Amino acid sequence: MGRGRVGLWLLLGACGLAFLAYCLYFDRKRRGRPDFRRRLRERRRKENEKAKERDAKVCKLNDAAKLQDFFLQEIQLAELWLGKGEAKKSTEHLANAISVCTHPDQLMQVLEQTLPPQVFEMLLHSIPHAVQRLETALNEQD
């Protein structure tokens, strides 16, 4: 019986090692493509443009009505992305909504009860970043 366990562990180790080699091989192959760096730069540029657009939206939040519209828009976008199964995008929009909310504690209680636990955990981790972005955008505006 002891030899069977050792053999099982050896088999599992060999499978793990084979999977690791498989991952390394295809990652190296992916990075070796001629258009890899170009596509990576394009993706990063698009992400930076989206971040700048989001910051530009936040900078225009001087009026209470605009602030409320922004809050509602972010909640709606979060619901939309959550419905599509995109938890990461949903938490980004929820974090933006919480950062401009006048009563974030009450909103957090509602979200804790309605969101799946893993999505709520992601939200908790993304809130400080969203608040920092908001503060940075408002400081740059002044």
Side-chain angles (χ1 to χ4, degrees):
M1 187 108 142
R3 292 179 69 158
R5 285 187 179 177
V6 171
L8 179 64
W9 281 108
L10 286 175
L11 180 64
L12 288 174
C15 289
L17 190 59
F19 179 72
L20 181 63
Y22 172 81
C23 291
L24 291 173
Y25 171 76
F26 281 105
D27 184 56
R28 187 174 196 117
K29 195 173 183 180
R30 176 183 63 97
R31 289 175 182 250
R33 289 185 187 152
D35 64 338
F36 173 75
R37 292 187 190 276
R38 180 184 50 81
R39 291 174 62 198
L40 185 63
R41 278 192 301 269
E42 287 176 8
R43 187 177 67 214
R44 287 180 180 165
R45 183 183 49 81
K46 287 179 184 177
E47 288 174 359
N48 285 337
E49 287 174 2
K50 286 181 184 178
K52 287 179 183 179
E53 288 175 12
R54 188 172 46 238
D55 291 344
K57 282 183 183 177
V58 171
C59 286
K60 297 176 183 177
L61 299 178
N62 293 335
D63 187 18
K66 289 181 183 177
L67 186 69
Q68 185 177 7
D69 288 342
F70 178 75
F71 173 79
L72 292 174
Q73 177 187 4
E74 291 296 309
I75 294 291
Q76 289 172 349
L77 287 171
E79 289 175 355
L80 176 74
W81 285 115
L82 194 58
K84 291 182 178 181
E86 294 283 337
K88 186 175 180 180
K89 291 181 181 181
S90 176
T91 55
E92 288 178 19
H93 290 289
L94 284 173
N96 289 339
I98 291 169
S99 65
V100 297
C101 184
T102 56
H103 302 289
D105 296 332
Q106 293 173 355
L107 180 59
M108 288 297 292
Q109 288 174 352
V110 171
L111 291 174
E112 185 176 12
Q113 294 171 358
T114 58
L115 290 175
Q118 67 273 13
V119 176
F120 185 74
E121 190 69 29
M122 287 173 60
L123 176 63
L124 289 177
H125 292 293
S126 64
I127 291 174
H129 184 65
V131 170
Q132 183 182 15
R133 271 196 326 254
L134 176 69
E135 289 175 353
T136 304
L138 292 176
N139 288 338
E140 288 176 0
Q141 184 181 4
D142 293 338

